[in-house]
Amino acid sequence: MKERLLYILRSIYNLKDKIAFFPTLIAFAGSAFAYLMFYLESLGISKYLLEILPDLVINNTDTARTLLTTIIAGSISIMVFSFSMVMVLLNQASSNFSPRLLPGLISNRRHQIILGIYVATILYCIFTLISIRPSGNEYQLPGFSVLLAIVFMVISLGSFIYFIHSISQSIQINNIMDKIFRKSSTRLIHLLDCEKDNNLPFKSSNSWHSYQATKTGYLQHISLENIAKVAKSHDCKIEVIPTKGSFILEKDTLFKTEKPLDKDILEGLSTNFDFAKSELIEDNYVLAFKQLTEIAVKAMSPGINDPGTALNAIDYLSQLYALRLKKNDISYTYIDNTPWVLIATVNFSTLLYDTMAPLRTYCKHDVIIVKRLLTMLNHLKNLSTNSIYLKSIDEEIENLKEDALRAITNERDFQYIETENFNI
């Protein structure tokens, strides 16, 4: 029961990344505030304020209805214009940069809040307009509520101006790459802080008991702390087989246990694996390497032809790989300094190859890009002290040299690269 409750809470928490989550909450808040104003109006708040501050209360029915109708129509126009522009810019980002960027752009928290402000203002004004009743008594008019509607419209206009500024900044490729880098580096630093000495390897899990996935999708999140608690309570070490962010098919092996566990315990363990149809950098730093690589490759396509963007993407990759060098290929989750869960991670060699393979394929003809890639690899080579990592870096340097020799035919280009002592 506890595991099921935690699963429900995690599912609700994951809704925060949906574009409609915050707008829905703010819209409900606007509707609730309208009903709160109904109650305050029934207590005579407009009559009281009319006696104290008459300039703050609108006491003409026709004026109130005209204002509310105008605010509703204006807010709808602003909302439609704003998010029509968003769709155009998202299409541009997908065409010019990478479709993988769309989930991050769509889930922009600030834009969601602005959409919520628009919707809340519209709903508040609609409910306030409905509350206006024909009456000969001027105090029956919700004058103070109408004044608040004007205030909300001013807030919406301010939000619209901020939205124009924000969307113009967020669509710039330099800002997109910087955001990707900041999110992924934060995630990597967090993993490095959680990492301990991994000289306590598990014994071979070949004879352990395997359990399959019951769902299909991207493995977005794993509640490792909960799994470790279950492992400790039953004195049974657990190995997570797939890497976070990988696509899991139903019946694929999801985890292994040192000894067989009851059906109820296994069902509880399964609820600690969250599947989704998309990936987020906040949950999986590997996605940042994929996105930056795709941006560089797309920038070097004949239709885009933007080597400057490719160079910037390689610079960000250099910084991320410098952080990744500090991380071990094997990770554990500890309780009381005892490892209970072995976590599969994308090893450095695979990650480097997955980045360099498309870059070598599509950028090998450009001497400037080749030079920058060699600079990155040699920089990583100087930073690394892991023999396995060094071997992988040397292999990628040789692969890049080989491809560049085949693609670059100008002798002057070779001389330019040789001035950096890469000895191609």
Side-chain angles (χ1 to χ4, degrees):
M1 181 63 185
K2 181 180 179 181
E3 288 79 6
R4 177 62 59 180
L5 179 61
L6 290 174
Y7 173 76
I8 293 173
L9 292 175
R10 286 201 308 274
S11 299
I12 296 174
Y13 176 76
N14 290 334
L15 288 175
K16 75 182 190 309
D17 297 316
K18 307 299 181 182
I19 190 172
F21 179 68
F22 281 98
T24 301
L25 290 181
I26 298 173
F28 274 120
S31 301
F33 186 74
Y35 281 100
L36 174 63
M37 290 306 301
F38 290 173
Y39 174 72
L40 295 178
E41 292 290 352
S42 68
L43 297 179
I45 185 173
S46 292
K47 179 180 177 180
Y48 174 76
L49 289 175
L50 187 60
E51 296 173 353
I52 304 299
L53 297 169
D55 293 336
L56 294 181
V57 180
I58 297 173
N59 58 0
N60 184 280
T61 302
D62 292 336
T63 301
R65 286 175 174 168
T66 301
L67 278 172
L68 291 173
T69 304
T70 303
I71 291 173
I72 292 170
S75 297
I76 292 175
S77 298
I78 289 175
M79 183 173 65
V80 171
F81 174 78
S82 298
F83 289 90
S84 295
M85 185 170 61
V86 168
M87 294 302 107
V88 172
L89 293 176
L90 290 178
N91 181 61
Q92 179 183 351
S94 177
S95 301
N96 294 344
F97 309 135
S98 170
R100 287 182 183 269
L101 301 177
L102 297 187
L105 294 174
I106 290 173
S107 62
N108 188 304
R109 188 68 48 80
R110 291 170 295 181
H111 298 166
Q112 293 180 21
I113 293 174
I114 291 172
L115 175 59
I117 291 173
Y118 293 160
V119 176
T121 299
I122 293 170
L123 291 177
Y124 174 83
C125 292
I126 289 174
F127 289 132
T128 303
L129 183 61
I130 293 173
S131 69
I132 297 177
R133 300 284 196 277
S135 173
N137 187 348
E138 62 180 14
Y139 303 128
Q140 296 298 320
L141 178 68
F144 185 63
S145 298
V146 176
L147 175 65
L148 290 180
I150 298 173
V151 173
F152 291 152
M153 184 59 190
V154 172
I155 294 173
S156 295
L157 289 173
S159 300
F160 175 69
I161 295 171
Y162 175 78
F163 173 81
I164 296 297
H165 166 75
S166 177
I167 199 68
S168 64
Q169 294 293 318
S170 62
I171 202 63
Q172 295 178 24
I173 187 59
N174 288 336
N175 293 331
I176 291 175
M177 289 192 293
D178 185 64
K179 184 178 180 181
I180 292 172
F181 170 75
R182 284 187 285 104
K183 286 185 177 180
S184 55
S185 60
T186 300
R187 178 64 181 170
L188 266 172
I189 291 172
H190 171 72
L191 293 176
L192 289 171
D193 291 339
C194 295
E195 209 168 60
K196 297 184 179 182
D197 184 12
N198 285 331
N199 294 324
L200 298 170
F202 281 15
K203 65 180 181 180
S204 175
S205 61
N206 293 334
S207 60
W208 287 16
H209 301 270
S210 301
Y211 299 96
Q212 299 173 334
T214 58
K215 297 180 181 178
T216 297
Y218 289 99
L219 184 56
Q220 187 178 56
H221 180 70
I222 308 172
S223 298
L224 296 171
E225 293 78 8
N226 294 338
I227 296 176
K229 290 177 182 177
V230 173
K232 180 183 178 182
S233 62
H234 295 87
D235 192 24
C236 173
K237 295 185 177 181
I238 299 173
E239 179 183 1
V240 177
I241 302 301
T243 60
K244 186 182 291 187
S246 58
F247 189 76
I248 307 298
L249 295 172
E250 191 174 349
K251 303 301 182 183
D252 283 351
T253 301
L254 189 60
F255 60 90
K256 291 183 178 181
T257 61
E258 190 177 16
K259 61 184 181 182
L261 298 175
D262 295 339
K263 182 179 179 181
D264 293 340
I265 299 173
L266 293 174
E267 289 180 354
L269 281 174
S270 298
T271 60
N272 291 291
F273 295 86
D274 294 336
F275 293 87
K277 296 300 181 183
S278 60
E279 303 173 90
L280 294 173
I281 295 175
E282 292 88 342
D283 300 316
N284 181 22
Y285 72 88
V286 176
L287 183 59
F289 291 89
K290 296 179 182 178
Q291 290 185 350
L292 291 172
T293 302
E294 289 177 358
I295 289 173
V297 170
K298 194 69 174 284
M300 292 303 297
S301 65
I304 305 299
N305 194 24
D306 183 13
T309 295
L311 291 172
N312 290 339
I314 293 170
D315 291 339
Y316 281 113
L317 284 171
S318 300
Q319 298 176 69
L320 286 179
Y321 272 116
L323 282 175
R324 179 58 182 82
L325 285 173
K326 302 176 183 179
K327 187 180 183 306
N328 296 312
D329 279 343
I330 299 176
S331 298
Y332 297 92
T333 298
Y334 293 79
I335 294 182
D336 299 331
N337 294 322
T338 301
W340 289 103
V341 182
L342 172 62
I343 310 136
T345 60
V346 178
N347 62 61
F348 179 83
S349 301
T350 301
L351 185 62
L352 185 61
Y353 178 81
D354 289 345
T355 298
M356 290 301 301
L359 289 174
R360 283 190 288 106
T361 302
Y362 296 100
C363 305
K364 60 188 176 184
H365 61 280
D366 191 298
V367 62
I368 303 299
I369 302 297
V370 171
K371 175 176 173 290
R372 186 63 61 88
L373 287 172
L374 288 170
T375 300
M376 178 188 77
L377 293 172
N378 278 275
H379 175 67
L380 297 177
K381 186 175 178 180
N382 293 332
L383 291 178
S384 178
T385 57
N386 187 308
S387 59
I388 298 177
Y389 293 179
L390 287 172
K391 180 180 178 182
S392 300
I393 295 170
D394 286 334
E395 289 176 352
E396 292 304 327
I397 290 176
E398 293 304 317
N399 290 338
L400 182 58
K401 288 180 180 180
E402 182 179 348
D403 286 352
L405 280 171
R406 294 176 180 175
I408 300 175
T409 57
N410 190 296
E411 187 174 339
R412 177 67 181 87
D413 291 339
F414 288 113
Q415 294 176 359
Y416 174 73
I417 296 175
E418 286 173 353
T419 59
E420 299 295 332
N421 297 320
F422 291 130
N423 299 320
I424 290 184

